[in-house]
Amino acid sequence: MITRNRAIRGGLTVAVVVAVGVAAVALPVTAAERAPGAEAVSTRAATRALAPSQAAATSDARLRLLLHRLTGVGGGPGALVEVRDRRGSTVLTDGVADVTGRTPVHRDSRFRIGSMTKAFTATAVLRLVEEGRVRLDARVERYLPGVVRGHGNDGRAITVRQLLQHTSGLPDFLDHLDPREIVKDPLAHRDPLDLVNTALAHPPEFDPGSGWSYSNTGYLLAGMIIERVTGRTYAEEVQRSVIEPLDLEETSVPADDPEIPGPHPRGYVRPGDGAPLLDITAVNPSVGGAAGGIISSGSDVNRFLGALLGGELLHPAQLREMMRTTPTGSADGRRYGLGLESKPLPRGGRYWGHTGDFLGYETAAGATVDGRQATVMVNLGPGSSDAQSDGIQDAIETALTRGHWLPDRERGGAGGGVRGR
């Protein structure tokens, strides 16, 4: 649900079948839309032999193919990618936003961004560090006295930095939350302290600072620290420190509102192989909170990442702290900073961003330090295949390498339209 899509898929399978019922939906793939043999083309090899403008066009064709695969047989209903650089934005869509009405995916779609929320949360904390109101290496106990206790978990031994970098050792509440309870009552409010206590009823994964393990619990605690230090709600502080400075009009931090404002695709889950898609668009986002509750758009997420890496939100000292990474143990070379992960690009270099899963949506976003950003959304999850997650990552990497080896005059939008932002 919140970057634990694969981990909880089995639990949601039973829950969704019991709690929700809809008619089966067929999602046919139009064979004429696929280029014969396109899957066999090696874009990386082909672009070396092409002129710069041809290489950019080939990259866009590859992106279109990837989106079409994401909405093919067994895939999601719809998909969107928005690519942004200093020249403007290109939006590509495929499939449908609504499997009943067969409406196309809107270019300005809003959606639940899941764990991409963590980059917003970490930024808000680092803004408080700049203001001298939070210290990264202070113990959690300093800000939340007595909150982190039990079964070997101890806020007196865990720092704020460790919460943000997933090195606290705290168990992840999602590992101990029955997803059937969420789907049984998707509109129910879930208090962050109750979710934290669900995790604290179990022993830590390791001693603080001695390992790395993804934990949504740490980000719920970060949200609680924000509220304790500022006297404002988490939503109000993210609005003040991130959304308003960047004029992110398509981004919201809902408390209990289950609706998604503005144009948006319906969110679906698939409870099993070949099972009907189930609509779960309306859900109370409090189960994600500071770990995964934000709603945004491709345009706003790209603007946020570009501004963050470009130094518009944080002073250099805090941005350096955010980009100080630790290994995650992943075979693909992923490393984790504070609310940001970095990953190697196929052509060299690294990009920064985050993945995100929330009921109904799977998303990912990435950005490079030289001013390129990309966000991808598919309106299906959980119930998607590993191929969907891999395809989303392929689309991010293809988008971020699109035209970056070209002279500036050769860059620009192709396909889907270009707009300034």
Side-chain angles (χ1 to χ4, degrees), residues 46-400:
T47 53
R48 284 197 289 266
L50 296 175
S53 58
Q54 291 176 296
T58 299
S59 236
D60 284 343
R62 170 68 173 162
L63 268 178
R64 289 184 181 280
L65 177 60
L66 286 169
L67 283 187
H68 201 56
R69 287 180 183 171
L70 287 169
T71 60
V73 174
L80 173 149
V81 59
E82 177 147 346
V83 189
R84 183 177 183 270
D85 61 20
R86 294 183 178 93
R87 300 286 298 270
S89 295
T90 299
V91 184
L92 303 175
T93 66
D94 198 286
V96 297
D98 181 344
V99 297
T100 303
R102 310 299 294 175
T103 54
V105 176
H106 198 286
R107 289 166 44 83
D108 292 316
S109 290
R110 281 74 154 168
F111 43 86
R112 304 189 191 278
I113 66 172
S115 277
M116 283 195 282
T117 297
K118 291 178 173 65
F120 287 77
T121 302
T123 300
V125 171
L126 287 164
R127 291 287 295 267
L128 296 174
V129 171
E130 289 179 358
E131 296 169 7
R133 304 170 76 180
V134 172
R135 291 179 52 213
L136 281 176
D137 294 314
R139 306 296 177 179
V140 173
E141 182 76 6
R142 174 172 178 170
Y143 307 105
L144 301 173
V147 170
V148 182
R149 290 285 197 284
H151 295 86
N153 301 288
D154 192 343
R156 293 168 295 188
I158 298 169
T159 67
V160 175
R161 184 191 303 275
Q162 288 165 347
L163 294 182
L164 299 180
Q165 199 158 39
H166 301 300
T167 55
S168 69
L170 290 171
D172 190 341
F173 75 88
L174 283 183
D175 289 340
H176 308 286
L177 180 68
D178 187 345
R180 289 174 294 186
E181 294 302 313
I182 301 173
V183 181
K184 181 180 178 181
D185 190 2
L187 304 185
H189 171 78
R190 289 170 174 82
D191 186 81
L193 182 57
D194 291 342
L195 296 175
V196 167
N197 286 335
T198 296
L200 297 181
H202 303 272
E205 301 287 333
F206 47 78
D207 291 336
S210 66
W212 189 91
S213 181
Y214 195 89
S215 176
N216 288 288
T217 308
Y219 273 79
L220 294 185
L221 289 166
M224 293 166 65
I225 290 173
I226 288 171
E227 295 189 339
R228 183 69 62 89
V229 167
T230 65
R232 290 183 284 268
T233 67
Y234 165 76
E236 289 169 341
E237 185 59 20
V238 171
Q239 184 77 26
R240 179 191 77 90
S241 62
V242 181
I243 295 174
E244 289 180 357
L246 298 180
D247 192 26
L248 303 181
E249 297 179 351
E250 298 165 1
T251 300
S252 57
V253 190
D256 289 306
D257 189 349
E259 302 301 323
I260 300 176
H264 61 274
R266 308 297 297 175
Y268 296 93
V269 300
R270 179 179 285 117
D273 290 342
L277 291 180
L278 308 176
D279 188 328
I280 196 162
T281 308
V283 61
N284 191 313
S286 61
V287 70
I294 287 180
I295 293 167
S296 192
S297 66
S299 177
D300 272 11
V301 170
N302 285 347
R303 167 70 176 130
F304 165 67
L305 287 176
L308 182 61
L309 297 187
E312 295 182 46
L313 286 170
L314 297 174
H315 292 157
Q318 280 67 52
L319 186 57
R320 284 194 298 270
E321 295 291 351
M322 193 175 210
M323 298 174 75
R324 284 176 56 189
T325 60
T326 191
T328 65
S330 175
D332 62 8
R334 291 174 190 265
R335 298 177 64 90
Y336 206 93
L338 305 183
L340 282 180
E341 64 179 12
S342 73
K343 187 171 180 288
L345 280 167
R347 295 178 176 276
R350 303 183 73 86
Y351 70 93
W352 298 84
H354 217 290
T355 56
D357 298 300
F358 201 91
L359 287 167
Y361 304 90
E362 183 173 359
T363 59
T368 62
V369 293
D370 63 352
R372 288 168 285 126
Q373 305 96 42
T375 298
V376 178
M377 179 281 304
V378 178
N379 58 333
L380 172 64
S384 61
S385 65
D386 288 351
Q388 175 169 301
S389 299
D390 294 341
I392 288 173
Q393 288 301 309
D394 286 346
I396 289 288
E397 293 174 9
T398 298
L400 291 177

Side-chain angles (χ1 to χ4, degrees), residues 39-50:
E39 289 84 348
V41 174
S42 171
T43 302
R44 193 179 304 178
T47 53
R48 284 197 289 266
L50 296 175

